[in-house]
Amino acid sequence: MRELVPLLTGAGLVVDTLVDAGIEQTADEEALEEFDTFEDNALAKARWFSARSNGRVVLADDSGLAVGALDGRPGVRSKRWAGSLLADGPLLDEANSNHLLRELTDAALAGRTGREAQFVCAAACVWPGASVVAVGSTAGRVLEAPTGRGGFGYDPLFWSHDLHASFGEASTELKASVSHRARAFALLIARLRAEKSLAAKLFRPVDPDGMPG
């Protein structure tokens, strides 16, 4: 939400979070991300919450880190890759990051020394009878140790080729200018604007008292 709400409202979308909509978190949500692609997981989440909210238009995403030397892992398993049952937060992030570094050490011993990686995000929108999904990515490499205290998840280990800094060092605004999530939602928003039946529901109307042009 820290990343998505500013991005969406900045694009003119009128959004409610699950908290705003009065939808409480349940244990069933943990079983939604059961698919092998980011697209399918994002659509599964959007469809589930649309059903829970009486058919409201729902946006959801699924994202993760794909490392070349690890054959694309952790990929869609990024959140629980370390097998930790810890709740979301810094302890879970630390467990996953440590597991990533161990896996890359093992890969290097087997001759796979590359550390190139990319963050991938699939952004989905679901409404009664239809859906749209868009994918964005950003390239970089995995550092040997975390750098910076910003972001979340694997951000302090991800050196962005675009920013020449880790995502852990970048401000929220700077990260959003190149991030996989921002790119995926920019594509999704463009497609939603083309859906005339949705545009009137989702985007703020032009201020009739504003300046012309």
Side-chain angles (χ1 to χ4, degrees):
M1 290 302 98
R2 288 197 303 270
E3 292 187 354
L4 277 181
V5 170
L7 190 155
L8 296 173
T9 56
L13 277 167
V14 180
V15 296
D16 290 329
T17 66
L18 295 178
V19 173
D20 295 331
I23 299 176
E24 297 183 359
Q25 185 174 358
T26 69
D28 294 338
E29 294 174 28
E30 293 296 326
L32 295 177
E33 297 177 339
E34 62 178 357
F35 298 98
D36 294 327
T37 69
F38 295 111
E39 295 95 322
D40 285 338
N41 283 331
L43 285 168
K45 288 187 279 189
R47 286 168 178 153
W48 195 74
F49 283 106
S50 183
R52 286 194 66 193
S53 59
N54 297 316
R56 290 183 66 171
V57 180
V58 172
L59 298 175
D61 78 339
D62 191 45
S63 61
L65 181 69
V67 183
L70 302 179
D71 297 318
R73 291 178 289 136
V76 295
R77 310 297 175 215
S78 291
K79 182 177 179 180
R80 299 290 177 186
W81 195 37
S84 175
L85 298 178
L86 295 167
D88 295 346
L91 291 178
L92 177 60
D93 291 345
E94 183 179 3
N96 282 327
S97 294
N98 288 338
H99 187 65
L100 171 62
L101 293 176
R102 287 193 296 269
E103 288 285 309
L104 280 171
T105 297
D106 291 343
L109 291 173
R112 306 189 71 176
T113 58
R115 302 181 78 90
E116 292 300 303
Q118 62 176 342
F119 270 123
V120 181
C121 175
C125 181
V126 165
W127 63 99
S131 62
V132 175
V133 63
V135 178
S137 64
T138 189
R141 60 182 173 86
V142 180
L143 297 169
E144 294 183 355
T147 302
R149 297 184 178 182
F152 56 91
Y154 302 96
D155 281 357
L157 281 174
F158 184 79
W159 178 269
S160 166
H161 290 333
D162 290 310
L163 300 180
H164 301 289
S166 79
F167 272 1
E169 296 173 296
S171 66
T172 299
E173 295 76 17
L174 192 58
K175 177 185 171 184
S177 69
V178 301
S179 78
H180 52 306
R181 182 168 285 109
R183 289 171 175 170
F185 274 91
L187 288 172
L188 183 70
I189 289 168
R191 293 176 186 175
L192 294 180
R193 289 188 188 279
E195 293 282 346
K196 300 302 182 183
S197 62
L198 280 181
K201 298 179 181 180
L202 300 181
F203 295 94
R204 294 188 185 92
V206 174
D207 182 357
D209 296 322
M211 295 292 290

